[in-house]
Amino acid sequence: MVPIIRPIVVRRIGGTRRRYFEAMPPPTGRVVFLGDSITQQGIWEDLFPELPTTNRGIGGEATADLPERLDTAIQQPLAVSLLIGTNDLHGPRRGRAVPGIAARMEEIVRQIRERAPEAVLLVNSVTPRTSFFAPRIRQLNGLYREIAERHGAAYVDLWPTLADSAGGIRREFTTDNLHLSPAGYLAWAEVLRPHLSRFAVR
């Protein structure tokens, strides 16, 4: 999402979802999918019909936005699948540096751990985009892996599944070189499934 548009989306569309989440906190004992539009657009109840899922994705959000709403997302979950950071890469210039993104991500992970120490926490790698972004995403994902290890979370590496040989997202897995196609969501779900199968209820 281009920098001039992202604040509008976060304020208008994101604001509506935030108000809904504040009014309707998730039930306890859920698998929470937390992140930006890539998470928001996932139809998780269809991808994981055997799991009690809750979608807490908001389009346009970056790592600086997420801590403000953790209280409306983390309510004694079974597991949390976290994917955030791609909007930072093309957001306001002051927030694009990879070490800064990783530092904000670590604070998110720390806060989730504080709120839900017993939950399974899945730190998803930032998904590939065009090959232009590949070096920075690879660097960021290396830091995400270290963050997951430091906080007892599982690092979910989506790169081998979603990336092509040039480091871009595979054509069949995207609609616009950023967001996922239905095939992309199916592929992501298969990477997540082994981490979540223990929570199946039907």
Side-chain angles (χ1 to χ4, degrees):
M1 186 175 297
V2 296
I4 197 169
I5 295 175
R6 196 186 77 82
I8 298 172
V9 173
V10 171
R11 184 170 60 253
R12 293 184 181 176
I13 300 176
T16 299
R17 285 182 69 81
R18 280 183 176 226
R19 288 190 294 274
Y20 175 83
F21 293 161
E22 289 167 2
M24 297 286 291
T28 60
R30 311 285 286 191
V31 176
V32 176
F33 292 88
L34 183 62
D36 53 32
S37 59
I38 299 174
T39 294
Q40 179 182 337
Q41 293 174 16
I43 308 176
W44 300 108
E45 64 272 23
D46 290 345
L47 291 164
F48 293 99
E50 73 279 13
L51 298 178
T53 61
T54 293
N55 187 332
R56 283 296 185 264
I58 294 183
E61 286 203 334
T63 52
D65 302 307
L66 201 52
E68 300 173 359
R69 63 183 182 90
L70 288 178
D71 284 340
T72 67
I74 308 301
Q75 301 284 334
Q76 300 179 45
L78 295 172
V80 178
S81 173
L82 175 64
L83 175 59
I84 194 75
T86 199
N87 288 322
D88 297 74
L89 294 170
H90 61 258
R93 194 170 299 277
R94 65 183 181 276
R96 294 182 190 178
V98 167
I101 300 170
R104 293 189 295 274
M105 177 63 156
E106 184 151 25
E107 177 60 18
I108 293 168
V109 169
R110 187 194 67 77
Q111 290 191 35
I112 293 173
R113 270 281 169 255
E114 187 176 85
R115 288 169 168 80
E118 302 302 320
V120 169
L121 177 54
L122 306 179
V123 174
N124 290 271
S125 64
V126 173
T127 53
R129 297 174 58 168
T130 64
S131 58
F132 171 82
F133 287 96
R136 295 173 67 213
I137 294 177
R138 287 193 177 105
Q139 180 188 3
L140 183 58
N141 284 340
L143 296 174
Y144 277 18
R145 184 187 294 272
E146 295 173 5
I147 290 166
E149 291 173 355
R150 282 196 293 272
H151 293 272
Y155 177 71
V156 180
D157 189 1
L158 301 175
W159 202 268
T161 298
L162 300 181
D164 62 22
S165 59
I169 189 166
R170 290 168 55 182
R171 288 185 180 182
E172 66 269 30
F173 290 154
T174 186
T175 58
D176 57 4
N177 289 320
L178 173 60
H179 298 95
L180 298 181
S181 65
Y185 281 105
L186 288 169
W188 181 12
E190 288 310 303
V191 179
L192 288 173
R193 200 171 303 281
H195 298 280
L196 298 175
S197 59
R198 76 186 80 174
F199 303 120
V201 294
R202 59 183 186 274

